[in-house]
Amino acid sequence: MRPRATVVLDGFGVLESLRWHDGALWFCDLAHGTVHRWDTRGEPETVAEVPGRAGGLGWLPDGRMLVASMDGHCVYRREPDGSLVVHADLKDIAGGPVNDMFVDRLGRAYVGNFGFDYHGFVRRQPNSMLYVPPGPPRTPLACLSPEGELLGLSEPLVFPNGLFLLDDEQRTDEGPTLLVAETLAMRLTAIPVLPDGRFGPPRPWAPLIPSALWRSLNHPGLLGRVTRRVSALLDRPAIAARSASPIAPDGIAPGRGGTAWVANALRGECVRVGPGGAILDRVSTSQQTLSCLVAGPDGNTLYAATTPTDDPERAASLGGSRLEAYVLPT
């Protein structure tokens, strides 16, 4: 049997962007536009209310927090007095809601976006219809300087989502490597980051869908139409819960030995993935999982942000998003 996480906090809209900072767990509720801090004891505190729904989180070297505004198409900076000021305007870059964000130790922020109105689409059509050729719209990642200036844009990606810098063992000659979850492509992609903040060419790191299924899903002919139709018919939580593939990576986090923990947006689980797509561990959660992180006072707890739906309008009224936790074996 798979190990199972237990619920430690409940009653949120859509929890996302788990981060460990200054001895506490931080996260966003993107359905309500709030940022929370939890010291793993008692109740979490609300530290900010963000116009346009709070998305990705990070911190500058001087301790000021950065938070993405999904519908505001910008990144805010929280000043010492608690006020929010625009750190970077992404309206000319983001083709949809601004999404997850990673801030490195130098204060450079790597920010993704949906590329289109994803929730508007899936409210009208099955998710599988996104793969009717030419497929989902693509969109770049942005690299921002510590001052909020645009340093570089990646090649267009398929719904860039969770991201982090790989450890030194996986650096390229050009510099560090950014690992990115392309949610709708169901893969993890590695992108070199050049010293000036520009990006090198992306390369595959871990496919999370069988290659034959991926080809069928995107086929322009009868095979594609049948595959997408069958996929729509099978798009039920009870069916997904009994399946091990594919994996739609949402949030991702470093795992031991150069691996990545992946929050699976299709079902209730976190999956540890190695280069090439090897599945090394699976931890079950109670609901579809949008973010994960290995952290905690002892650094050995896998936290997972779960939700009954990622649709922010429905989730705001349901209040069913949870924080779940599992202590990893040593």
Side-chain angles (χ1 to χ4, degrees):
M1 292 181 63
R2 293 183 192 174
R4 177 170 289 277
T6 58
V7 177
V8 292
L9 294 175
D10 201 349
F12 295 90
V14 179
L15 289 189
E16 256 281 16
S17 304
L18 301 180
R19 305 286 188 268
W20 186 261
H21 175 71
D22 198 20
L25 189 69
W26 297 64
F27 48 84
C28 296
D29 183 337
L30 63 83
H32 294 113
T34 49
V35 179
H36 304 267
R37 178 186 182 277
W38 185 51
D39 65 4
T40 73
R41 302 180 302 275
E43 294 298 318
E45 61 174 314
T46 302
V47 297
E49 295 185 5
V50 180
R53 297 193 296 133
L57 282 176
W59 286 265
L60 295 170
D62 62 10
R64 289 178 296 172
M65 183 177 75
L66 300 182
V67 56
S69 171
M70 301 186 73
D71 297 331
H73 298 95
C74 69
V75 174
Y76 282 108
R77 186 178 66 246
R78 186 171 183 262
E79 296 298 303
D81 64 0
S83 62
L84 295 176
V85 299
V86 174
H87 183 72
D89 188 328
L90 301 174
K91 291 185 178 66
D92 293 335
I93 298 168
V98 175
N99 200 16
D100 215 337
M101 174 175 66
F102 175 80
V103 182
D104 69 18
R105 60 182 179 81
L106 300 176
R108 294 192 300 192
Y110 307 88
V111 193
N113 71 91
F114 285 19
F116 67 108
D117 181 7
Y118 169 77
H119 289 113
F121 183 97
V122 297
R123 287 171 189 144
R124 301 187 305 271
Q125 300 183 62
N127 187 81
S128 61
M129 293 301 106
L130 285 164
Y131 299 97
V132 175
R138 295 174 178 243
T139 190
L141 281 172
C143 178
L144 307 175
S145 75
E147 294 74 36
E149 298 173 349
L150 179 65
L151 297 177
L153 294 173
S154 74
E155 293 183 16
L157 304 169
V158 185
F159 207 99
N161 208 330
L163 62 172
F164 67 85
L165 287 177
L166 290 165
D167 59 32
D168 288 343
E169 294 180 359
Q170 301 186 56
R171 291 171 67 93
T172 66
D173 293 337
E174 294 89 354
T177 297
L178 191 70
L179 191 65
V180 183
E182 290 188 83
T183 303
L184 294 181
M186 288 172 276
R187 66 189 175 209
L188 302 182
T189 298
I191 306 178
V193 181
L194 306 180
D196 60 3
R198 293 180 299 117
F199 294 101
R203 61 176 175 83
W205 195 85
L208 298 173
I209 182 173
S211 58
L213 176 57
W214 180 246
R215 289 193 300 270
S216 298
L217 189 63
N218 291 274
H219 195 279
L222 177 62
L223 176 61
R225 293 194 294 274
V226 171
T227 302
R228 291 186 289 271
R229 178 60 177 167
V230 171
S231 178
L233 293 173
L234 296 178
D235 188 13
R236 302 288 185 272
I239 296 174
R242 290 167 172 78
S243 174
S245 179
I247 295 167
D250 196 315
I252 60 175
R256 67 179 184 273
T259 62
W261 278 101
V262 173
N264 189 353
L266 289 179
R267 63 186 66 89
E269 65 176 359
C270 295
V271 183
R272 189 165 71 93
V273 178
I279 304 302
L280 304 172
D281 291 295
R282 300 183 105 115
V283 175
S284 296
T285 61
S286 66
Q287 307 175 109
Q288 67 185 94
T289 310
L290 304 185
S291 183
C292 60
L293 182 68
V294 178
D298 298 320
N300 64 342
T301 300
L302 174 67
Y303 291 102
T306 74
T307 183
T309 174
D310 61 4
D311 186 315
E313 292 182 7
R314 291 181 56 209
S317 60
L318 290 174
S321 189
R322 301 164 177 165
L323 179 69
E324 306 185 31
Y326 172 74
V327 178
L328 297 169
T330 56

